[in-house]
Amino acid sequence: MLSENILSTLRYVVDFLLGEKSKDFTDYVFYGLPETAPSQAKIIIVPSVFFDEGVYGTPATLPKTPFEMLPDSETPFLFGEPRLEKDEKGRLVLYADIVASAYFMLSRYEETVKPECRDQYGRFLAKDSVVFQQGFGMRPLVDEWGRYLRDLLRKAGVGLPSEKCGFSKIYLTHDVDAPFVLRSRIHVFKQMIKNIIHRGVKILHPYRVFRTGNGDPYNNFSKIIEYDTGLQGKIGKDIVRPIYFIIAADSRRSRIYSDIELPKFRNLLAQLESSNAEIGFHASFEAGGNPALLKGEMERMFRFCRSATTKSRHHYLRWREPEHIDEMEAAGITDDFTLGYADCAGFRSGTCRPYRFINPKTLRVSNVVMHPMEIMECSLDRKVYMGLDFEAAENVCRTIINEVRKYDGELNILWHNNSFLQGYLDRLYNVILEYLAGL
């Protein structure tokens, strides 16, 4: 029997599965045993042992592999049995526990019970995800389960709205980790030597570039703005939203790369603001391991950039523990764009729709809205991650874009400003934008 303190959280999960346009029909779905179901229930989802006392929070709750498929479908699920029956009252009884399955994905529960699975930066990677290991990481399984549930309601005679395809939002996001190549006088001196020996990219008048930022190869924001506003003009500013995530930490490590106090950085902020892009908060590397630092970094961000928003993303995607959500909420973060894997593109939370994050330790639904990130350029081309060539990377991006469009989701893309100078990434970004414009 489920305890009362988690029933509201489970109701939130059911509501999320049904979707915004189907919330009026939630009374028709009951999560529990058939003998305790209310009279209006048309669909009964029988709970697995996932939430049972003494089971929840232990490795015993990790799903067994290989996954079984939902009845009469090719969609895998994580808990319960692949059985669908009609009882004596004519109600559909589903023994595949898609509620626990969705909770497992949305709360990143797996990361809590597998604390030993972290890379050198403290990150949980796709290679350790049971869903990615089983080959389903490129599918938004939670959204598939939601569609399956809505189809069951239609079979039960409930007149739900038809499914919609498209994009609710397209977020073109850019983490400004290193806005300038010439970050110090030491870099100026090294650049002078490179100019003399003709090594690497030649930067004329390096000291002047260091002082002003003009002519710095990494200061390519005019080009990025042109790319992004071009797509806005084709699709609409209400759908396409550029966001630049800025580091504001006062630590020595952060200020070496990104010092928000410098005049040239203030000029950059003014340029980004004049393009009508949003300015987001980029939590520092240190804050990824110590979330108590978030509040002070946020306050410093607003001190130097009054137009900054309460949208955030962690540097290095170093969101170490799911239960850190409470500190993020306390710091004033309202929307977060971190939840994607560093080592692989795809659907870390199993959804392409925004949702309120659930603390898997307390089972509390937070007020922080997660916007899952599906594509990061570093994941695609780096040899230590996917290591794809241009054609393979393009195919992965098209596959993910089509999945997001199928569920009217949010497409959340991350391209660092310095990545436009590396390999095929400038070309790939433009190909993605052209593909989106064509859709």
Side-chain angles (χ1 to χ4, degrees), residues 17 35 74 138 183 236 251 335 349 377 410:
L17 287 170
E35 56 266 28
E74 296 182 359
M138 295 291 176
R183 300 186 294 270
S251 68
D335 297 78
S349 297
E377 87 285 40
E410 289 185 351

Side-chain angles (χ1 to χ4, degrees), residues 119-397:
D119 71 355
Q120 68 267 37
Y121 302 116
R123 303 174 301 187
F124 189 87
L125 299 181
K127 69 180 182 64
D128 296 313
S129 160
V130 66
V131 169
F132 275 73
Q133 289 169 352
Q134 293 298 302
F136 297 108
M138 295 291 176
R139 292 168 58 176
L141 293 181
V142 175
D143 299 328
E144 291 188 33
W145 298 330
R147 184 159 292 184
Y148 182 86
L149 179 58
R150 293 191 294 274
D151 285 341
L152 287 184
L153 280 172
R154 293 185 179 100
K155 289 179 182 179
V158 179
L160 267 65
S162 59
E163 309 292 353
K164 180 183 176 184
C165 291
F167 301 99
S168 59
K169 283 287 186 295
I170 297 174
Y171 286 109
L172 305 177
T173 73
H174 309 285
D175 291 1
V176 187
D177 302 338
F180 308 105
V181 173
L182 302 181
R183 300 186 294 270
S184 68
R185 287 176 172 80
I186 293 175
H187 290 97
V188 172
F189 176 74
K190 290 182 177 179
Q191 186 61 49
M192 289 177 176
I193 300 300
K194 290 179 181 179
N195 288 350
I196 293 171
I197 65 176
H198 302 286
R199 180 184 174 188
V201 177
K202 189 171 185 177
I203 302 177
L204 298 177
H205 311 296
Y207 186 71
R208 183 192 304 168
V209 172
F210 164 67
R211 291 292 303 273
T212 66
N214 298 329
D216 191 296
Y218 283 6
N219 187 8
N220 55 355
F221 296 95
S222 295
K223 179 174 73 172
I224 300 172
I225 290 169
E226 182 179 351
Y227 289 163
D228 293 354
T229 54
L231 187 64
Q232 281 186 315
K234 295 173 182 176
I235 296 180
K237 292 182 179 180
D238 55 331
I239 299 295
V240 180
R241 297 301 307 159
I243 307 177
Y244 292 84
F245 290 100
I246 305 294
I247 295 175
D250 198 18
S251 68
R252 182 177 180 277
R253 178 190 180 110
S254 295
R255 292 182 72 159
I256 287 174
Y257 293 94
S258 177
D259 190 346
I260 199 170
E261 293 187 37
L262 293 177
K264 63 181 179 180
F265 203 109
R266 307 291 291 278
N267 293 336
L268 171 59
L269 283 175
Q271 178 187 12
L272 299 179
E273 290 168 342
S274 66
S275 73
N276 293 317
E278 293 184 82
I279 305 298
F281 164 62
H282 204 25
S284 71
F285 183 90
E286 297 91 338
N290 180 11
L293 299 173
L294 290 170
K295 186 173 178 60
E297 291 184 9
M298 279 275 286
E299 291 172 351
R300 190 167 187 269
M301 179 73 174
F302 280 97
R303 190 158 67 246
F304 288 98
C305 182
R306 293 183 179 179
S307 65
T309 67
T310 52
K311 295 180 170 67
S312 74
R313 177 180 285 137
H314 279 68
H315 186 35
Y316 269 68
L317 305 184
R318 198 170 180 253
W319 185 69
R320 293 185 53 146
E321 308 299 337
E323 55 268 26
H324 284 181
I325 192 67
D326 290 347
E327 285 87 350
M328 291 169 62
E329 186 174 358
I333 293 170
T334 60
D335 297 78
D336 188 76
F337 290 72
T338 304
L339 274 185
Y341 284 120
D343 61 329
C344 192
F347 300 93
R348 181 173 179 177
S349 297
T351 183
C352 55
R353 294 181 292 135
Y355 70 98
R356 291 168 60 195
F357 192 75
I358 304 165
N359 185 329
K361 287 289 182 71
T362 63
L363 288 90
R364 171 182 170 269
V365 179
S366 77
N367 291 317
V368 180
V369 176
M370 295 311 221
H371 301 263
M373 182 193 65
E374 298 95 4
I375 300 172
M376 179 174 72
E377 87 285 40
C378 302
S379 307
L380 301 170
D381 75 323
R382 290 191 181 177
K383 299 299 182 185
V384 294
Y385 296 146
M386 299 178 79
L388 304 177
D389 61 21
F390 176 83
E391 288 75 18
E394 181 184 1
N395 287 335
V396 166
C397 292

